[in-house]
Amino acid sequence: QVQLVESGGGLVQPGGSLRLSCATSGIFFSINAMGWYRQAPGKERELVATISRSGYTNYVDSVKGRFTISRDGAKNTVNLQMDSLKPEDTAVYYCNRVGPPFDSWGQGTQVTVSS
């Protein structure tokens, strides 16, 4: 059991930007590849970006070129820079290890893109 605390969400207009942050424990951060996931209304949870312990990244096609995942070893955080946001990006965003297995999910942070 580890705490995963997401923050940084909000309401933005299309084309805007947000930076999400995920805080976790040092050991959890150090031994796991990490990912950002999102769940839009009426849809399944979707993996959108991953980062390995060495910093190798992958993205789902729908966000590639717009989102950037990073990790900060000094702060034990995983970040998601979200640019050129679209209404389709509206969702609750979560962080977790790249599973299975997953740790317990946090509360997530709401991202709403609307004009």
Side-chain angles (χ1 to χ4, degrees):
Q1 177 72 223
V2 68
Q3 287 185 289
L4 294 165
V5 182
E6 301 93 346
S7 62
L11 173 64
V12 297
Q13 293 187 326
S17 297
L18 286 171
R19 185 172 179 85
L20 309 184
S21 183
C22 169
T24 187
S25 72
I27 189 168
F28 189 85
F29 181 89
S30 68
I31 67 174
N32 293 300
M34 299 294 293
W36 279 97
Y37 304 76
R38 67 186 181 188
Q39 188 165 20
K43 295 186 177 181
E44 299 292 320
R45 184 181 288 114
E46 173 190 30
L47 176 63
V48 298
T50 64
I51 185 165
S52 74
R53 294 188 295 169
S54 63
Y56 187 85
T57 60
N58 282 110
Y59 303 90
V60 70
D61 286 346
S62 61
V63 309
K64 200 162 191 174
R66 301 188 298 117
F67 291 9
T68 304
I69 188 172
S70 61
R71 59 196 300 154
D72 186 334
K75 298 179 179 179
N76 299 327
T77 61
V78 183
N79 304 305
L80 187 68
Q81 178 66 43
M82 309 166 69
D83 298 318
S84 302
L85 283 162
K86 304 175 180 180
E88 308 92 87
D89 297 318
T90 296
V92 179
Y93 284 71
Y94 303 88
C95 66
N96 213 316
R97 75 175 85 190
V98 176
F102 298 100
D103 202 84
S104 297
W105 298 93
Q107 295 299 304
T109 185
Q110 174 70 232
V111 171
T112 303
V113 185
S114 177
S115 59

